[in-house]
Amino acid sequence: MKSKKKLIYIADFSLPNMSAYMLHVLKMCDAMSEKKFNVTLFIPFVKKGYSFNYFKSKYLLKTNFTMESFFNKPIKRGFFSYLLFAIKILIFIKKKNDLLIISRSIIPALVLSLTNYNVLLEIHTEMRGLTKAIFKIIVFFNFNQKLKYILIHKKLNEKLQLHKKKFIVLDDCVDIRDFKKNVSVKNECVYTGSYVDGKGLNVILNIAKRLPEIKFNLYGNIRTIKEELKSLIIKQKNIKLNNYVTYNKIPDIIKSNKVLLMPYEEKISVLIKNLDVSSYISPLKLFDYLASGSTIIATDKPAYSHILKNNFNSILISTLKTDEWVYKIKEIFNNNHNTLKIKKNALRTAKKYTWLSRCEKIINFI
């Protein structure tokens, strides 16, 4: 029997974790494993007591793959921590040449490629500081011959200036199978995802004030919300501010709410300080929303205009003014808007963006 090709997937988060980054990597490892690769995920640290089966259950993974960690505690975000991580990986793999390497961590990808490994580096945000400077030098002097790239959005290449044959653009995805369960639908609105600036919590607060008869359910990492905004939201009786929940609960939560909110603001932050990702965002929750069969109301943004189409698979609003959002929500809740076609088209769209199809495109690109 032909042996499986070995795939090393490198990421610089530690487990457990609350980030979409983590979910993306686990789902990619899972899909690559389903594509018959022998997958090993390299990460800095896994907290004692957390087995693979825990993550398999909590993140709805379908296969088994291996996880290797290299430190006794979580590492700090920064160039030198990631450089040490890269060195530990180099020592661990010991010049094995039959490896497919995909990395979401930039420094290990650069180090491995400079030591003659072929590496596929996936980039979701622009680079900063010393990492950005070193990357520019490597690209300028053409030291990146062993590197190919996956970009989450075509706009990122305006900052990276890569040759068009060196990269492929792939959005985030969803596993449709996670959303097969039937649940009863409540006449409520939901938001899932990050609570950082730009994700629209201020907008939802203003909408909720105008629609006291409708309940708004929010899910995210409460530690990332500003205290002043948190206090205002808690005081609003028809908003339920929930903490982060593991992904196995997300499909039922989304499917059980009639309206899914994605009110992105002009500038969209992430946990990296002073970084605006609004021009190249590909939000993972967007694909969860599409797969759910509920009605999406979102800000009309060029970054995802190739996916969301107004009155086709979603309802898009070009302003953040409360009146327009209130009007559309009322229209849906009063059954004055034909959402059946929109929801069917959302499901059709979701089927074009699956983790398995994403992996197939990566394999073809390699």
Side-chain angles (χ1 to χ4, degrees), residues 341-357:
K341 183 180 77 171
I342 290 174
K343 292 189 286 187
K344 285 182 177 178
N345 287 331
L347 284 167
R348 290 192 187 105
T349 305
K351 289 174 183 176
K352 296 178 182 178
Y353 293 92
T354 68
W355 295 113
L356 287 172
S357 65

Side-chain angles (χ1 to χ4, degrees), residues 20-33:
Y21 169 22
M22 175 272 303
L23 178 61
H24 172 104
V25 169
L26 291 182
K27 287 294 192 180
M28 280 298 298
C29 288
D30 191 38
M32 278 297 195
S33 181

Side-chain angles (χ1 to χ4, degrees), residues 65-91:
F65 55 87
T66 305
M67 293 193 297
E68 293 285 351
S69 58
F70 294 82
F71 295 87
N72 294 321
K73 61 181 179 179
I75 63 173
K76 293 181 179 179
R77 185 191 298 272
F79 175 83
F80 292 105
S81 295
Y82 297 152
L83 180 60
L84 180 58
F85 181 36
I87 293 167
K88 284 179 175 283
I89 291 171
L90 268 177
I91 294 168

Side-chain angles (χ1 to χ4, degrees), residues 315-355:
I315 295 168
L316 300 180
I317 300 177
S318 59
T319 177
L320 289 172
K321 290 180 180 177
T322 308
D323 286 353
E324 186 71 16
W325 288 79
V326 167
Y327 174 78
K328 288 296 181 184
I329 292 170
K330 277 185 174 180
E331 198 175 46
I332 293 167
F333 275 76
N334 292 330
N335 297 314
N336 294 328
H337 197 296
N338 184 9
T339 59
L340 184 61
K341 183 180 77 171
I342 290 174
K343 292 189 286 187
K344 285 182 177 178
N345 287 331
L347 284 167
R348 290 192 187 105
T349 305
K351 289 174 183 176
K352 296 178 182 178
Y353 293 92
T354 68
W355 295 113

Side-chain angles (χ1 to χ4, degrees), residues 45-227:
F45 172 75
V46 179
K47 191 174 181 180
K48 188 176 179 180
Y50 285 86
S51 67
F52 177 83
N53 285 335
Y54 170 86
F55 299 106
K56 185 175 183 179
S57 169
K58 295 297 185 183
Y59 297 97
L60 301 177
L61 308 180
K62 310 299 186 295
T63 66
N64 295 317
F65 55 87
T66 305
M67 293 193 297
E68 293 285 351
S69 58
F70 294 82
F71 295 87
N72 294 321
K73 61 181 179 179
I75 63 173
K76 293 181 179 179
R77 185 191 298 272
F79 175 83
F80 292 105
S81 295
Y82 297 152
L83 180 60
L84 180 58
F85 181 36
I87 293 167
K88 284 179 175 283
I89 291 171
L90 268 177
I91 294 168
F92 187 86
I93 60 179
K94 296 177 182 175
K95 289 295 178 184
K96 293 176 183 175
N97 295 316
D98 58 339
L99 300 173
L100 171 60
I101 301 174
I102 301 177
S103 182
R104 277 289 305 271
S105 187
I106 295 167
I107 297 304
L110 298 181
V111 170
L112 288 168
S113 68
L114 291 172
T115 51
N116 214 34
Y117 286 98
N118 291 307
V119 182
L120 191 57
L121 171 60
E122 177 149 357
I123 303 175
H124 284 214
T125 63
E126 57 196 280
M127 298 175 199
R128 311 294 290 272
L130 189 54
T131 300
K132 180 180 179 179
I134 291 171
F135 183 81
K136 282 192 168 185
I137 291 168
I138 286 172
V139 172
F140 181 80
F141 288 104
N142 200 28
F143 294 150
N144 64 331
Q145 294 181 25
K146 291 285 185 177
L147 274 171
K148 286 188 175 182
Y149 306 88
I150 305 167
L151 306 185
I152 196 69
H153 199 283
K154 64 181 181 180
K155 279 280 185 181
L156 272 174
N157 201 43
E158 293 178 7
K159 303 176 186 300
L160 299 173
Q161 299 295 303
L162 302 172
H163 191 279
K164 62 182 180 180
K165 291 184 179 180
K166 294 279 285 183
F167 69 90
I168 184 172
V169 178
L170 296 173
D171 281 284
D172 257 320
C173 288
V174 67
D175 189 336
I176 301 292
R177 295 168 295 183
D178 296 341
F179 292 81
K180 290 296 185 184
K181 182 181 172 184
N182 290 321
V183 298
S184 58
V185 180
K186 302 173 289 187
N187 284 328
E188 297 176 2
C189 298
V190 72
Y191 167 89
T192 65
S194 172
Y195 287 158
V196 297
D197 289 347
K199 298 297 178 75
L201 295 193
N202 289 293
V203 180
I204 293 171
L205 175 60
N206 291 332
I207 296 167
K209 288 177 179 178
R210 293 276 302 277
L211 295 171
E213 72 280 10
I214 294 174
K215 187 176 177 181
F216 293 78
N217 303 294
L218 314 184
Y219 292 85
N221 182 359
I222 283 180
R223 288 184 296 176
T224 63
I225 189 170
K226 290 182 175 177
E227 282 300 320

Side-chain angles (χ1 to χ4, degrees), residues 200-302:
L201 295 193
N202 289 293
V203 180
I204 293 171
L205 175 60
N206 291 332
I207 296 167
K209 288 177 179 178
R210 293 276 302 277
L211 295 171
E213 72 280 10
I214 294 174
K215 187 176 177 181
F216 293 78
N217 303 294
L218 314 184
Y219 292 85
N221 182 359
I222 283 180
R223 288 184 296 176
T224 63
I225 189 170
K226 290 182 175 177
E227 282 300 320
E228 184 180 353
L229 179 57
K230 178 182 172 183
S231 177
L232 291 171
I233 289 173
I234 289 171
K235 289 176 184 176
Q236 186 64 33
K237 292 183 179 179
N238 60 327
I239 297 181
K240 187 173 182 182
L241 184 65
N242 299 280
N243 205 355
Y244 168 85
V245 295
T246 50
Y247 187 73
N248 60 320
K249 297 177 182 177
I250 290 295
D252 286 0
I253 288 169
I254 295 175
K255 284 172 71 73
S256 66
N257 283 263
K258 191 166 188 175
V259 171
L260 315 179
L261 298 173
M262 207 167 74
Y264 284 130
E265 299 173 35
E266 184 178 352
K267 291 184 178 181
I268 303 171
S269 300
V270 289
L271 292 177
I272 302 171
K273 192 176 181 181
N274 299 322
L275 185 62
D276 174 20
V277 300
S278 57
S279 65
Y280 52 79
I281 192 170
S282 179
L284 202 153
K285 73 162 169 273
L286 183 157
F287 302 95
D288 289 339
Y289 280 12
L290 287 167
S292 72
S294 296
T295 305
I296 302 167
I297 305 181
T299 310
D300 193 355
K301 283 269 183 191

